Amino acid sequence: MSDSQFIIKPRWVIPMDGKQATLEQHAVLVDAGKILAIAPKNEIPEWASDWPVVDCSRHALLPGLVNLHAHSSMNLLRGYADDLALMPWLNEHIWPAERQWVSKSFVHDGSLLACAEMLSGGITTFNDMYFFPQATIEAVKRCGMRAHIGLVIMEFPTNYATTANEYIRLGTEVRDQFKSDTDISFSFAPHAPYTVSNATFEQISTLAEQLNLGIHTHLHETRAEIQQSIEQFGVRPLDRLLALGILGPSTVCAHGVHLEQNELEILATQGVHIAHCPCSNLKLSSGIAPAAAALRAGLNVGLGTDGAASNNRLDLWQEMRTAALLAKVADDNAESIPAYAALQMATINGARALGLQDQIGSIEVGKQADLIAVRLDDLNSLPAYDPISHLVYVAGREQVTHTWVEGHLRYQRTEEGQAVFAGVEAEELRSIALQWQLKIQSAQS
């Protein structure tokens, strides 16, 4: 018997395989990092009878969550500038802070904190966009997560690069270094239509096709962005990106708050994916994205947290619940984005957007064992008539007790409530956060 072989026995298995089924009193058999079998608990095959068992009899087992839009190292700027709209927040606070502080060590430490926060909340994969991507990858590898790294590109200089060509060169060098790593994948990440020129977008479109990379960008996040594009280019940002060849089946557009019906149909025709970030959009007063209308138009919509500087939590449970509730109000329809659809957005839809749907996002035989166990028996969760409804409308990230990535236990919350990570000690994370806080606060005074 191998140490990589074990059986998880939850009360409920939530496969997220599109059938909307809940399997009660079933077990999931894991072998060498993959899901080997799903069977009733009383029908475990004889050949697995001596495998170790993880008792999750008070839990729901579901696929690891996929965070479709993040700026992980911005965890170090959590709460740095709150209660502001997007452009004042960026221009007057975040970009100046980044000019002062962003470095390889800043990105590594912030990403390490973000990875731990995400793992503790059941996120096993995230789609990132930030500077010094190698530093983020190092943190990801230490924590044992899966990440899709956006190779950020802008026109203006930062501590990372000075020209668009330098951003591209540095990004492709990192991609070449890690392209054989099965847990790391890449996209070009032109930051936004208002920070990237036509010539650079055209270059990215060509390179993405040549290197078989996706594209990850912000789109229609605010009305001001759209008005600026009309004044500068004569068209809305979506029309501009469409003409420049940026929109396609490997493109993830974050936010999409101000998309009109015809634009949703264009994006659906192009096969574009949307990363819906409801909490960040609310906090920055950007608006309420038409997520339900996007789904009706045939778009694949996943969920993102955005960065901790603008949310301020990397918490997909909060995003699920907020997305479902906002859609009901926006549509004046209580049936808009039901619980199962919200859970799809946090799992298989996110995997599909990253081209990983054959590996993760659902509990199916042959897929990677990226799994999470969520305890649903505490007093605040009882009674539990429907586990899927409970996962969206009741559960919180504090109820995640186990997070596996490729069958490896990367996070566990003990019965005493202690957080245990496989790659880093909680006290080290606390020390890192406090050191950066002291450094940044001292410079402000």
Side-chain angles (χ1 to χ4, degrees):
M1 180 182 64
S2 168
D3 291 340
S4 66
Q5 297 172 326
F6 61 96
I7 303 171
I8 308 171
K9 291 187 175 181
R11 179 175 176 186
W12 300 284
V13 176
I14 315 295
M16 300 310 301
D17 57 2
K19 299 174 184 176
Q20 299 199 32
T22 298
L23 304 177
E24 193 162 1
Q25 302 302 332
H26 277 59
V28 174
L29 282 66
V30 175
D31 183 20
K34 292 189 176 182
I35 299 167
L36 183 64
I38 305 166
K41 290 181 181 179
N42 59 359
E43 297 179 17
I44 301 298
E46 179 65 27
W47 44 262
S49 60
D50 62 343
W51 287 16
V53 172
V54 182
D55 179 15
C56 292
S57 55
R58 298 174 290 183
H59 298 68
L61 186 74
L62 59 154
L65 307 183
V66 179
N67 185 353
L68 194 54
H69 180 62
H71 309 287
S72 59
S73 52
M74 294 185 81
N75 263 47
L76 291 178
L77 296 175
R78 190 200 314 267
Y80 180 82
D82 286 333
D83 304 322
L84 296 164
L86 175 64
M87 295 319 294
W89 177 79
L90 272 177
N91 289 321
E92 299 170 23
H93 299 275
I94 296 303
W95 282 343
E98 287 179 332
R99 283 193 292 271
Q100 184 171 4
W101 296 112
V102 168
S103 62
K104 289 181 180 178
S105 61
F106 177 97
V107 172
H108 174 271
D109 290 353
S111 297
L112 199 63
L113 289 168
C115 288
E117 181 179 357
M118 287 189 277
L119 284 170
S120 68
I123 296 169
T124 55
T125 301
F126 67 100
N127 184 28
D128 206 45
M129 178 194 288
Y130 210 66
F131 313 108
F132 298 103
Q134 184 170 346
T136 296
I137 293 171
E138 289 169 0
V140 169
K141 300 301 290 182
R142 182 173 176 186
C143 290
M145 288 188 75
R146 195 185 303 276
H148 191 87
I149 301 296
L151 306 171
V152 72
I153 301 163
M154 296 175 167
E155 300 295 339
F156 58 83
T158 64
N159 299 353
Y160 172 57
T162 56
T163 66
N165 283 335
E166 187 179 7
Y167 284 102
I168 292 171
R169 177 181 63 80
L170 291 172
T172 52
E173 286 175 357
V174 172
R175 178 261 181 185
D176 290 344
Q177 181 180 351
F178 291 95
K179 64 181 179 182
S180 61
D181 193 312
T182 57
D183 296 331
I184 305 294
S185 50
F186 294 93
S187 287
F188 284 120
H191 172 258
Y194 55 87
T195 56
V196 178
S197 70
N198 283 358
T200 299
F201 271 128
E202 289 174 337
Q203 185 179 4
I204 291 167
S205 176
T206 300
L207 286 172
E209 184 174 357
Q210 291 174 347
L211 299 176
N212 194 29
L213 295 184
I215 294 173
H216 177 197
T217 191
H218 297 87
L219 180 68
H220 286 214
E221 186 173 358
T222 66
R223 291 187 180 89
E225 168 196 339
I226 295 170
Q227 184 59 36
Q228 178 184 338
S229 177
I230 292 171
E231 293 172 359
Q232 184 175 356
F233 299 99
V235 295
R236 288 163 65 89
L238 184 147
D239 295 324
R240 179 172 160 236
L241 297 191
L242 180 65
L244 294 170
I246 292 298
L247 304 178
S250 297
T251 303
V252 174
C253 291
H255 301 291
V257 176
H258 301 285
L259 290 170
E260 298 176 350
Q261 182 60 37
N262 69 304
E263 293 173 323
L264 294 175
E265 293 166 3
I266 290 170
L267 291 172
T269 299
Q270 295 296 318
V272 171
H273 312 271
I274 296 294
H276 181 32
C277 306
C279 293
S280 176
N281 295 339
L282 289 173
K283 185 166 181 288
L284 295 170
S285 71
S286 298
I288 299 174
L295 290 168
R296 288 193 297 270
L299 276 158
N300 179 55
V301 181
L303 287 174
T305 60
D306 211 354
S310 64
N311 186 324
N312 298 8
R313 298 157 62 99
L314 307 186
D315 182 356
L316 276 190
W317 304 93
Q318 185 182 57
E319 303 298 334
M320 273 192 282
R321 187 168 187 268
T322 303
L325 297 181
L326 279 178
K328 298 175 193 313
V329 173
D331 282 3
D332 194 21
N333 179 2
E335 297 180 10
S336 185
I337 303 192
Y340 189 80
L343 204 52
Q344 283 181 308
M345 292 164 71
T347 55
I348 189 63
N349 288 13
R352 187 175 293 117
L354 301 179
L356 299 174
Q357 69 273 17
D358 293 335
Q359 301 177 50
I360 62 170
S362 62
I363 301 178
E364 298 182 72
V365 172
K367 284 196 171 185
Q368 299 290 333
D370 288 16
L371 305 166
I372 61 175
V374 185
R375 186 168 171 175
L376 293 179
D377 76 331
D378 62 34
L379 289 178
N380 293 336
S381 301
L382 295 176
Y385 299 110
D386 178 353
I388 291 175
S389 171
H390 254 46
L391 288 168
V392 174
Y393 297 124
V394 179
R397 61 181 179 178
E398 67 279 0
Q399 290 164 251
V400 175
T401 61
H402 300 70
T403 301
W404 291 271
V405 181
E406 285 188 44
H408 298 287
L409 186 61
R410 299 304 188 187
Y411 165 79
Q412 183 174 8
R413 181 176 293 277
T414 67
E415 289 288 341
E416 297 75 29
Q418 181 182 4
V420 179
F421 299 94
V424 62
E425 295 291 334
E427 281 304 313
E428 180 185 353
L429 294 169
R430 187 172 290 107
S431 175
I432 288 170
L434 292 176
Q435 286 174 18
W436 276 104
Q437 179 182 347
L438 180 62
K439 186 184 300 186
I440 291 171
Q441 281 184 327
S442 297
Q444 287 179 302
S445 59

